[in-house]
Amino acid sequence: MEFKDIATVSGKPGLYKILKPSRSGVILESLDDKKGKLVVGAAQRVSLLSEISIYTLTEEGASPLKEVMIKIEKEFKGDTGLEGAEKEEYQAFMKHILPEFDEDRVYASDVKKLISWYHIIRKECPEVLEEKPETASKNSKEEKDEDTDKGEE
């Protein structure tokens, strides 16, 4: 499974795997032990996790959710320690993971939902949280390019 195959439905808890489109919408399967199926029509709002970002104060204005979740996995390996946490603890956690996040537009409830989704993904499809080799090789290529540029100065 890939990040683009996971969705959230407005007004419903949890995450869903996209199975296939139907005439009236899309067929989803819950990412939990029940594996319940659900047909979602055009009237309900379905968001792909690959299209969700977290507001930042950077020039781009947002950081993709996938990158944030990969950072959480690298740092915490599933143990975020935020069960039953206070608002300030969620904000501090977010500041630690993404220092440039926009505190005025990212609420504690958003961070709580992020942590909830992270735990669901880690349990049901942990391969999604692994950094892809092409991302790592792209980063190392950029570093080599930077080193080459420095050598030419």
Side-chain angles (χ1 to χ4, degrees):
M1 186 181 317
E2 295 184 34
F3 213 67
K4 64 181 174 58
D5 301 325
I6 303 171
T8 180
V9 180
S10 182
K12 297 208 176 284
L15 294 174
Y16 299 85
K17 176 182 177 181
I18 298 172
L19 295 180
K20 61 183 178 179
S22 71
R23 286 182 226 237
S24 60
V26 66
I27 300 172
L28 305 174
E29 179 182 72
S30 65
L31 284 179
D32 60 15
D33 297 333
K34 297 174 189 163
K35 301 290 182 206
K37 290 192 174 55
L38 171 72
V39 178
V40 179
Q44 286 183 292
R45 190 167 152 213
V46 176
S47 300
L48 300 177
L49 292 194
S50 60
E51 296 176 357
I52 297 174
S53 297
I54 295 178
Y55 292 116
T56 63
L57 299 172
T58 62
E59 191 174 311
E60 294 83 30
S63 182
L65 183 64
K66 182 175 182 175
E67 288 178 14
V68 175
M69 285 200 176
I70 288 172
K71 284 181 186 179
I72 294 171
E73 176 62 14
K74 275 184 183 176
E75 180 106 10
F76 294 94
K77 304 280 189 240
D79 183 20
T80 56
L82 289 174
E83 288 70 33
E86 298 292 321
K87 176 185 172 183
E88 294 78 22
E89 292 174 279
Y90 285 114
Q91 295 292 81
F93 174 84
M94 200 65 210
K95 193 79 160 164
H96 177 77
I97 291 298
L98 192 65
E100 63 276 5
F101 89 102
D102 188 341
E103 293 181 50
D104 294 332
R105 299 197 305 179
V106 179
Y107 304 106
S109 59
D110 298 327
V111 181
K112 189 174 183 178
K113 189 181 294 184
L114 166 72
I115 300 300
S116 169
W117 289 352
Y118 165 74
H119 287 297
I120 292 169
I121 290 173
R122 190 164 201 281
K123 180 181 178 197
E124 299 297 329
C125 46
E127 69 277 3
V128 172
L129 296 174
E130 295 172 5
E131 196 166 9
K132 300 284 186 255
E134 66 265 12
T135 305
S137 63
K138 181 183 170 192
N139 290 341
S140 63
K141 182 185 180 321
E142 289 172 0
E143 289 171 10
K144 286 179 185 174
D145 291 345
E146 287 175 13
D147 291 342
T148 306
D149 292 343
K150 290 177 185 172
E152 293 174 1
E153 290 176 7

